PDB file of all heavy atoms in Angstrom:
ATOM      1  N   GLN Z 113     -60.218  70.340 -21.639  1.00  0.00           N
ATOM      2  CA  GLN Z 113     -59.703  68.956 -21.470  1.00  0.00           C
ATOM      3  C   GLN Z 113     -58.870  68.781 -20.260  1.00  0.00           C
ATOM      4  O   GLN Z 113     -59.113  67.772 -19.517  1.00  0.00           O
ATOM      5  CB  GLN Z 113     -58.991  68.571 -22.696  1.00  0.00           C
ATOM      6  CG  GLN Z 113     -58.365  67.130 -22.654  1.00  0.00           C
ATOM      7  CD  GLN Z 113     -57.403  66.851 -23.841  1.00  0.00           C
ATOM      8  OE1 GLN Z 113     -57.040  67.731 -24.604  1.00  0.00           O
ATOM      9  NE2 GLN Z 113     -56.958  65.631 -24.013  1.00  0.00           N
ATOM     10  N   VAL Z 114     -57.985  69.706 -20.040  1.00  0.00           N
ATOM     11  CA  VAL Z 114     -57.062  69.590 -18.935  1.00  0.00           C
ATOM     12  C   VAL Z 114     -57.802  69.747 -17.557  1.00  0.00           C
ATOM     13  O   VAL Z 114     -57.555  69.085 -16.664  1.00  0.00           O
ATOM     14  CB  VAL Z 114     -55.885  70.651 -19.022  1.00  0.00           C
ATOM     15  CG1 VAL Z 114     -55.099  70.699 -17.713  1.00  0.00           C
ATOM     16  CG2 VAL Z 114     -55.071  70.363 -20.170  1.00  0.00           C
ATOM     17  N   LYS Z 115     -58.873  70.614 -17.622  1.00  0.00           N
ATOM     18  CA  LYS Z 115     -59.641  70.745 -16.387  1.00  0.00           C
ATOM     19  C   LYS Z 115     -60.317  69.483 -16.037  1.00  0.00           C
ATOM     20  O   LYS Z 115     -60.403  69.080 -14.842  1.00  0.00           O
ATOM     21  CB  LYS Z 115     -60.648  71.842 -16.670  1.00  0.00           C
ATOM     22  CG  LYS Z 115     -61.510  72.230 -15.394  1.00  0.00           C
ATOM     23  CD  LYS Z 115     -62.484  73.394 -15.732  1.00  0.00           C
ATOM     24  CE  LYS Z 115     -63.289  73.732 -14.493  1.00  0.00           C
ATOM     25  NZ  LYS Z 115     -64.182  74.894 -14.790  1.00  0.00           N
ATOM     26  N   GLU Z 116     -60.761  68.814 -17.093  1.00  0.00           N
ATOM     27  CA  GLU Z 116     -61.471  67.401 -16.782  1.00  0.00           C
ATOM     28  C   GLU Z 116     -60.472  66.462 -16.299  1.00  0.00           C
ATOM     29  O   GLU Z 116     -60.707  65.579 -15.437  1.00  0.00           O
ATOM     30  CB  GLU Z 116     -62.142  66.905 -18.109  1.00  0.00           C
ATOM     31  CG  GLU Z 116     -62.791  65.557 -17.942  1.00  0.00           C
ATOM     32  CD  GLU Z 116     -63.387  65.105 -19.249  1.00  0.00           C
ATOM     33  OE1 GLU Z 116     -63.454  65.802 -20.232  1.00  0.00           O
ATOM     34  OE2 GLU Z 116     -63.848  63.880 -19.291  1.00  0.00           O
ATOM     35  N   ILE Z 117     -59.303  66.425 -16.947  1.00  0.00           N
ATOM     36  CA  ILE Z 117     -58.217  65.497 -16.526  1.00  0.00           C
ATOM     37  C   ILE Z 117     -57.865  65.701 -15.052  1.00  0.00           C
ATOM     38  O   ILE Z 117     -57.722  64.765 -14.302  1.00  0.00           O
ATOM     39  CB  ILE Z 117     -57.006  65.715 -17.387  1.00  0.00           C
ATOM     40  CG1 ILE Z 117     -57.187  65.141 -18.774  1.00  0.00           C
ATOM     41  CG2 ILE Z 117     -55.746  65.009 -16.795  1.00  0.00           C
ATOM     42  CD1 ILE Z 117     -56.048  65.548 -19.820  1.00  0.00           C
ATOM     43  N   ARG Z 118     -57.689  66.962 -14.643  1.00  0.00           N
ATOM     44  CA  ARG Z 118     -57.258  67.230 -13.239  1.00  0.00           C
ATOM     45  C   ARG Z 118     -58.428  66.707 -12.283  1.00  0.00           C
ATOM     46  O   ARG Z 118     -58.131  66.289 -11.249  1.00  0.00           O
ATOM     47  CB  ARG Z 118     -57.091  68.709 -13.041  1.00  0.00           C
ATOM     48  CG  ARG Z 118     -55.824  69.229 -13.847  1.00  0.00           C
ATOM     49  CD  ARG Z 118     -55.524  70.694 -13.550  1.00  0.00           C
ATOM     50  NE  ARG Z 118     -54.999  70.870 -12.260  1.00  0.00           N
ATOM     51  CZ  ARG Z 118     -54.720  72.054 -11.722  1.00  0.00           C
ATOM     52  NH1 ARG Z 118     -54.948  73.145 -12.403  1.00  0.00           N
ATOM     53  NH2 ARG Z 118     -54.184  72.137 -10.506  1.00  0.00           N
ATOM     54  N   THR Z 119     -59.656  66.864 -12.714  1.00  0.00           N
ATOM     55  CA  THR Z 119     -60.768  66.391 -11.892  1.00  0.00           C
ATOM     56  C   THR Z 119     -60.676  64.884 -11.747  1.00  0.00           C
ATOM     57  O   THR Z 119     -60.948  64.286 -10.687  1.00  0.00           O
ATOM     58  CB  THR Z 119     -62.142  66.833 -12.500  1.00  0.00           C
ATOM     59  OG1 THR Z 119     -62.330  68.222 -12.534  1.00  0.00           O
ATOM     60  CG2 THR Z 119     -63.288  66.240 -11.709  1.00  0.00           C
ATOM     61  N   ASN Z 120     -60.392  64.272 -12.888  1.00  0.00           N
ATOM     62  CA  ASN Z 120     -60.243  62.776 -12.877  1.00  0.00           C
ATOM     63  C   ASN Z 120     -59.093  62.277 -12.030  1.00  0.00           C
ATOM     64  O   ASN Z 120     -59.262  61.302 -11.289  1.00  0.00           O
ATOM     65  CB  ASN Z 120     -60.107  62.230 -14.323  1.00  0.00           C
ATOM     66  CG  ASN Z 120     -61.402  62.366 -15.196  1.00  0.00           C
ATOM     67  OD1 ASN Z 120     -62.500  62.437 -14.600  1.00  0.00           O
ATOM     68  ND2 ASN Z 120     -61.244  62.320 -16.511  1.00  0.00           N
ATOM     69  N   VAL Z 121     -57.992  62.993 -12.055  1.00  0.00           N
ATOM     70  CA  VAL Z 121     -56.890  62.676 -11.340  1.00  0.00           C
ATOM     71  C   VAL Z 121     -57.157  62.700  -9.833  1.00  0.00           C
ATOM     72  O   VAL Z 121     -56.878  61.721  -9.067  1.00  0.00           O
ATOM     73  CB  VAL Z 121     -55.714  63.665 -11.575  1.00  0.00           C
ATOM     74  CG1 VAL Z 121     -54.582  63.482 -10.485  1.00  0.00           C
ATOM     75  CG2 VAL Z 121     -55.105  63.384 -12.929  1.00  0.00           C
ATOM     76  N   LYS Z 122     -57.942  63.695  -9.467  1.00  0.00           N
ATOM     77  CA  LYS Z 122     -58.322  63.818  -8.021  1.00  0.00           C
ATOM     78  C   LYS Z 122     -59.221  62.659  -7.593  1.00  0.00           C
ATOM     79  O   LYS Z 122     -59.000  62.070  -6.498  1.00  0.00           O
ATOM     80  CB  LYS Z 122     -59.078  65.083  -7.780  1.00  0.00           C
ATOM     81  CG  LYS Z 122     -59.440  65.386  -6.346  1.00  0.00           C
ATOM     82  CD  LYS Z 122     -60.186  66.754  -6.214  1.00  0.00           C
ATOM     83  CE  LYS Z 122     -60.512  67.042  -4.775  1.00  0.00           C
ATOM     84  NZ  LYS Z 122     -61.212  68.369  -4.594  1.00  0.00           N
ATOM     85  N   GLN Z 123     -60.164  62.196  -8.442  1.00  0.00           N
ATOM     86  CA  GLN Z 123     -61.080  61.129  -8.141  1.00  0.00           C
ATOM     87  C   GLN Z 123     -60.346  59.847  -8.063  1.00  0.00           C
ATOM     88  O   GLN Z 123     -60.587  58.940  -7.235  1.00  0.00           O
ATOM     89  CB  GLN Z 123     -62.196  61.104  -9.134  1.00  0.00           C
ATOM     90  CG  GLN Z 123     -63.134  62.257  -9.076  1.00  0.00           C
ATOM     91  CD  GLN Z 123     -64.226  62.292 -10.158  1.00  0.00           C
ATOM     92  OE1 GLN Z 123     -64.164  61.531 -11.126  1.00  0.00           O
ATOM     93  NE2 GLN Z 123     -65.248  63.073 -10.085  1.00  0.00           N
ATOM     94  N   PHE Z 124     -59.434  59.593  -9.084  1.00  0.00           N
ATOM     95  CA  PHE Z 124     -58.719  58.394  -9.241  1.00  0.00           C
ATOM     96  C   PHE Z 124     -57.876  58.311  -8.003  1.00  0.00           C
ATOM     97  O   PHE Z 124     -57.610  57.113  -7.459  1.00  0.00           O
ATOM     98  CB  PHE Z 124     -57.896  58.285 -10.453  1.00  0.00           C
ATOM     99  CG  PHE Z 124     -58.690  58.309 -11.727  1.00  0.00           C
ATOM    100  CD1 PHE Z 124     -58.188  58.699 -13.012  1.00  0.00           C
ATOM    101  CD2 PHE Z 124     -59.981  57.807 -11.666  1.00  0.00           C
ATOM    102  CE1 PHE Z 124     -58.904  58.578 -14.143  1.00  0.00           C
ATOM    103  CE2 PHE Z 124     -60.729  57.659 -12.840  1.00  0.00           C
ATOM    104  CZ  PHE Z 124     -60.246  58.069 -14.100  1.00  0.00           C
ATOM    105  N   LYS Z 125     -57.168  59.355  -7.581  1.00  0.00           N
ATOM    106  CA  LYS Z 125     -56.307  59.297  -6.415  1.00  0.00           C
ATOM    107  C   LYS Z 125     -57.115  58.847  -5.087  1.00  0.00           C
ATOM    108  O   LYS Z 125     -56.597  58.117  -4.285  1.00  0.00           O
ATOM    109  CB  LYS Z 125     -55.634  60.621  -6.130  1.00  0.00           C
ATOM    110  CG  LYS Z 125     -54.438  60.879  -6.954  1.00  0.00           C
ATOM    111  CD  LYS Z 125     -53.754  62.234  -6.633  1.00  0.00           C
ATOM    112  CE  LYS Z 125     -52.496  62.484  -7.474  1.00  0.00           C
ATOM    113  NZ  LYS Z 125     -51.838  63.697  -7.169  1.00  0.00           N
ATOM    114  N   GLN Z 126     -58.272  59.349  -5.000  1.00  0.00           N
ATOM    115  CA  GLN Z 126     -59.098  59.016  -3.811  1.00  0.00           C
ATOM    116  C   GLN Z 126     -59.422  57.551  -3.763  1.00  0.00           C
ATOM    117  O   GLN Z 126     -59.289  56.797  -2.743  1.00  0.00           O
ATOM    118  CB  GLN Z 126     -60.410  59.823  -3.886  1.00  0.00           C
ATOM    119  CG  GLN Z 126     -60.282  61.311  -3.568  1.00  0.00           C
ATOM    120  CD  GLN Z 126     -61.509  62.055  -3.621  1.00  0.00           C
ATOM    121  OE1 GLN Z 126     -62.545  61.563  -4.286  1.00  0.00           O
ATOM    122  NE2 GLN Z 126     -61.582  63.298  -3.125  1.00  0.00           N
ATOM    123  N   ILE Z 127     -59.758  56.970  -4.934  1.00  0.00           N
ATOM    124  CA  ILE Z 127     -59.974  55.486  -5.014  1.00  0.00           C
ATOM    125  C   ILE Z 127     -58.817  54.683  -4.760  1.00  0.00           C
ATOM    126  O   ILE Z 127     -58.841  53.717  -3.965  1.00  0.00           O
ATOM    127  CB  ILE Z 127     -60.578  55.121  -6.403  1.00  0.00           C
ATOM    128  CG1 ILE Z 127     -61.997  55.895  -6.627  1.00  0.00           C
ATOM    129  CG2 ILE Z 127     -60.735  53.680  -6.614  1.00  0.00           C
ATOM    130  CD1 ILE Z 127     -62.522  55.705  -8.023  1.00  0.00           C
ATOM    131  N   LEU Z 128     -57.629  55.198  -5.340  1.00  0.00           N
ATOM    132  CA  LEU Z 128     -56.333  54.440  -5.133  1.00  0.00           C
ATOM    133  C   LEU Z 128     -55.934  54.427  -3.653  1.00  0.00           C
ATOM    134  O   LEU Z 128     -55.480  53.472  -3.075  1.00  0.00           O
ATOM    135  CB  LEU Z 128     -55.274  55.059  -6.003  1.00  0.00           C
ATOM    136  CG  LEU Z 128     -53.883  54.361  -5.986  1.00  0.00           C
ATOM    137  CD1 LEU Z 128     -53.971  52.924  -6.290  1.00  0.00           C
ATOM    138  CD2 LEU Z 128     -52.934  55.092  -6.798  1.00  0.00           C
ATOM    139  N   ASN Z 129     -56.183  55.671  -3.030  1.00  0.00           N
ATOM    140  CA  ASN Z 129     -55.725  55.791  -1.612  1.00  0.00           C
ATOM    141  C   ASN Z 129     -56.628  54.802  -0.808  1.00  0.00           C
ATOM    142  O   ASN Z 129     -56.195  54.247   0.205  1.00  0.00           O
ATOM    143  CB  ASN Z 129     -55.925  57.162  -1.152  1.00  0.00           C
ATOM    144  CG  ASN Z 129     -54.895  58.147  -1.647  1.00  0.00           C
ATOM    145  OD1 ASN Z 129     -53.826  57.697  -2.011  1.00  0.00           O
ATOM    146  ND2 ASN Z 129     -55.126  59.382  -1.712  1.00  0.00           N
ATOM    147  N   LYS Z 130     -57.928  54.672  -1.112  1.00  0.00           N
ATOM    148  CA  LYS Z 130     -58.786  53.779  -0.335  1.00  0.00           C
ATOM    149  C   LYS Z 130     -58.373  52.383  -0.554  1.00  0.00           C
ATOM    150  O   LYS Z 130     -58.249  51.556   0.446  1.00  0.00           O
ATOM    151  CB  LYS Z 130     -60.175  53.886  -0.903  1.00  0.00           C
ATOM    152  CG  LYS Z 130     -61.155  52.994  -0.256  1.00  0.00           C
ATOM    153  CD  LYS Z 130     -62.615  53.072  -0.849  1.00  0.00           C
ATOM    154  CE  LYS Z 130     -63.644  52.159  -0.148  1.00  0.00           C
ATOM    155  NZ  LYS Z 130     -64.967  52.136  -0.923  1.00  0.00           N
ATOM    156  N   ALA Z 131     -57.968  51.988  -1.741  1.00  0.00           N
ATOM    157  CA  ALA Z 131     -57.468  50.566  -1.949  1.00  0.00           C
ATOM    158  C   ALA Z 131     -56.184  50.361  -1.309  1.00  0.00           C
ATOM    159  O   ALA Z 131     -55.876  49.257  -0.786  1.00  0.00           O
ATOM    160  CB  ALA Z 131     -57.307  50.396  -3.491  1.00  0.00           C
ATOM    161  N   GLN Z 132     -55.276  51.369  -1.140  1.00  0.00           N
ATOM    162  CA  GLN Z 132     -54.104  51.221  -0.446  1.00  0.00           C
ATOM    163  C   GLN Z 132     -54.258  51.045   1.049  1.00  0.00           C
ATOM    164  O   GLN Z 132     -53.498  50.239   1.759  1.00  0.00           O
ATOM    165  CB  GLN Z 132     -53.152  52.453  -0.668  1.00  0.00           C
ATOM    166  CG  GLN Z 132     -52.550  52.481  -2.082  1.00  0.00           C
ATOM    167  CD  GLN Z 132     -51.925  53.821  -2.451  1.00  0.00           C
ATOM    168  OE1 GLN Z 132     -52.243  54.889  -1.791  1.00  0.00           O
ATOM    169  NE2 GLN Z 132     -50.980  53.876  -3.377  1.00  0.00           N
ATOM    170  N   GLY Z 133     -55.308  51.717   1.548  1.00  0.00           N
ATOM    171  CA  GLY Z 133     -55.565  51.554   2.933  1.00  0.00           C
ATOM    172  C   GLY Z 133     -56.152  50.162   3.298  1.00  0.00           C
ATOM    173  O   GLY Z 133     -55.758  49.612   4.274  1.00  0.00           O
ATOM    174  N   GLU Z 134     -56.903  49.640   2.392  1.00  0.00           N
ATOM    175  CA  GLU Z 134     -57.448  48.338   2.595  1.00  0.00           C
ATOM    176  C   GLU Z 134     -56.284  47.254   2.464  1.00  0.00           C
ATOM    177  O   GLU Z 134     -56.306  46.244   3.118  1.00  0.00           O
ATOM    178  CB  GLU Z 134     -58.532  48.013   1.497  1.00  0.00           C
ATOM    179  CG  GLU Z 134     -59.820  48.871   1.757  1.00  0.00           C
ATOM    180  CD  GLU Z 134     -60.653  48.967   0.556  1.00  0.00           C
ATOM    181  OE1 GLU Z 134     -60.147  48.621  -0.611  1.00  0.00           O
ATOM    182  OE2 GLU Z 134     -61.818  49.258   0.692  1.00  0.00           O
ATOM    183  N   ASN Z 135     -55.385  47.543   1.602  1.00  0.00           N
ATOM    184  CA  ASN Z 135     -54.184  46.634   1.505  1.00  0.00           C
ATOM    185  C   ASN Z 135     -53.493  46.555   2.804  1.00  0.00           C
ATOM    186  O   ASN Z 135     -52.982  45.559   3.305  1.00  0.00           O
ATOM    187  CB  ASN Z 135     -53.314  47.077   0.307  1.00  0.00           C
ATOM    188  CG  ASN Z 135     -51.984  46.344   0.269  1.00  0.00           C
ATOM    189  OD1 ASN Z 135     -51.014  46.684   0.927  1.00  0.00           O
ATOM    190  ND2 ASN Z 135     -51.954  45.303  -0.454  1.00  0.00           N
ATOM    191  N   LYS Z 136     -53.203  47.764   3.355  1.00  0.00           N
ATOM    192  CA  LYS Z 136     -52.412  47.832   4.609  1.00  0.00           C
ATOM    193  C   LYS Z 136     -53.182  47.154   5.767  1.00  0.00           C
ATOM    194  O   LYS Z 136     -52.573  46.611   6.688  1.00  0.00           O
ATOM    195  CB  LYS Z 136     -52.195  49.297   4.972  1.00  0.00           C
ATOM    196  CG  LYS Z 136     -51.204  50.014   4.097  1.00  0.00           C
ATOM    197  CD  LYS Z 136     -50.954  51.458   4.487  1.00  0.00           C
ATOM    198  CE  LYS Z 136     -49.976  52.153   3.585  1.00  0.00           C
ATOM    199  NZ  LYS Z 136     -49.734  53.574   4.008  1.00  0.00           N
ATOM    200  N   ALA Z 137     -54.559  47.170   5.716  1.00  0.00           N
ATOM    201  CA  ALA Z 137     -55.310  46.459   6.685  1.00  0.00           C
ATOM    202  C   ALA Z 137     -55.458  44.941   6.359  1.00  0.00           C
ATOM    203  O   ALA Z 137     -56.219  44.243   7.087  1.00  0.00           O
ATOM    204  CB  ALA Z 137     -56.709  47.106   6.764  1.00  0.00           C
ATOM    205  N   LEU Z 138     -54.689  44.541   5.386  1.00  0.00           N
ATOM    206  CA  LEU Z 138     -54.737  43.101   4.971  1.00  0.00           C
ATOM    207  C   LEU Z 138     -55.975  42.667   4.362  1.00  0.00           C
ATOM    208  O   LEU Z 138     -56.256  41.444   4.251  1.00  0.00           O
ATOM    209  CB  LEU Z 138     -54.304  42.162   6.163  1.00  0.00           C
ATOM    210  CG  LEU Z 138     -53.049  42.511   6.841  1.00  0.00           C
ATOM    211  CD1 LEU Z 138     -52.756  41.518   8.018  1.00  0.00           C
ATOM    212  CD2 LEU Z 138     -51.899  42.634   5.915  1.00  0.00           C
ATOM    213  N   ASN Z 139     -56.843  43.635   3.976  1.00  0.00           N
ATOM    214  CA  ASN Z 139     -58.114  43.272   3.254  1.00  0.00           C
ATOM    215  C   ASN Z 139     -57.858  43.185   1.804  1.00  0.00           C
ATOM    216  O   ASN Z 139     -58.289  44.066   0.991  1.00  0.00           O
ATOM    217  CB  ASN Z 139     -59.199  44.305   3.529  1.00  0.00           C
ATOM    218  CG  ASN Z 139     -59.635  44.295   5.090  1.00  0.00           C
ATOM    219  OD1 ASN Z 139     -59.536  43.241   5.729  1.00  0.00           O
ATOM    220  ND2 ASN Z 139     -59.951  45.453   5.554  1.00  0.00           N
ATOM    221  N   TYR Z 140     -57.095  42.228   1.308  1.00  0.00           N
ATOM    222  CA  TYR Z 140     -56.606  42.172  -0.077  1.00  0.00           C
ATOM    223  C   TYR Z 140     -57.703  42.059  -1.038  1.00  0.00           C
ATOM    224  O   TYR Z 140     -57.765  42.608  -2.100  1.00  0.00           O
ATOM    225  CB  TYR Z 140     -55.615  40.963  -0.194  1.00  0.00           C
ATOM    226  CG  TYR Z 140     -54.541  40.973   0.748  1.00  0.00           C
ATOM    227  CD1 TYR Z 140     -54.277  39.954   1.692  1.00  0.00           C
ATOM    228  CD2 TYR Z 140     -53.603  42.043   0.750  1.00  0.00           C
ATOM    229  CE1 TYR Z 140     -53.239  39.992   2.541  1.00  0.00           C
ATOM    230  CE2 TYR Z 140     -52.533  42.130   1.581  1.00  0.00           C
ATOM    231  CZ  TYR Z 140     -52.350  41.090   2.534  1.00  0.00           C
ATOM    232  OH  TYR Z 140     -51.332  41.168   3.411  1.00  0.00           O
ATOM    233  N   GLY Z 141     -58.674  41.204  -0.760  1.00  0.00           N
ATOM    234  CA  GLY Z 141     -59.885  41.028  -1.625  1.00  0.00           C
ATOM    235  C   GLY Z 141     -60.666  42.296  -1.858  1.00  0.00           C
ATOM    236  O   GLY Z 141     -61.003  42.698  -3.005  1.00  0.00           O
ATOM    237  N   GLN Z 142     -60.906  42.972  -0.697  1.00  0.00           N
ATOM    238  CA  GLN Z 142     -61.619  44.265  -0.822  1.00  0.00           C
ATOM    239  C   GLN Z 142     -60.885  45.264  -1.539  1.00  0.00           C
ATOM    240  O   GLN Z 142     -61.429  46.066  -2.230  1.00  0.00           O
ATOM    241  CB  GLN Z 142     -61.987  44.756   0.635  1.00  0.00           C
ATOM    242  CG  GLN Z 142     -62.768  46.050   0.602  1.00  0.00           C
ATOM    243  CD  GLN Z 142     -64.087  45.967  -0.136  1.00  0.00           C
ATOM    244  OE1 GLN Z 142     -64.837  44.938  -0.010  1.00  0.00           O
ATOM    245  NE2 GLN Z 142     -64.396  46.840  -1.016  1.00  0.00           N
ATOM    246  N   SER Z 143     -59.561  45.237  -1.324  1.00  0.00           N
ATOM    247  CA  SER Z 143     -58.657  46.269  -2.015  1.00  0.00           C
ATOM    248  C   SER Z 143     -58.733  46.021  -3.523  1.00  0.00           C
ATOM    249  O   SER Z 143     -58.824  47.042  -4.290  1.00  0.00           O
ATOM    250  CB  SER Z 143     -57.222  46.101  -1.565  1.00  0.00           C
ATOM    251  OG  SER Z 143     -56.382  47.027  -2.243  1.00  0.00           O
TER     252      SER Z 143
END
Side-chain angles (χ1 to χ4, degrees):
Q113 178 187 11
V114 173
K115 186 176 181 180
E116 180 183 351
I117 289 173
R118 295 184 72 184
T119 298
N120 289 339
V121 166
K122 183 177 180 180
Q123 293 175 348
F124 293 157
K125 280 185 176 180
Q126 289 176 343
I127 296 173
L128 182 58
N129 288 339
K130 179 183 177 184
Q132 289 171 335
E134 291 164 343
N135 170 274
K136 289 181 179 179
L138 307 184
N139 295 328
Y140 304 120
Q142 183 57 50
S143 181

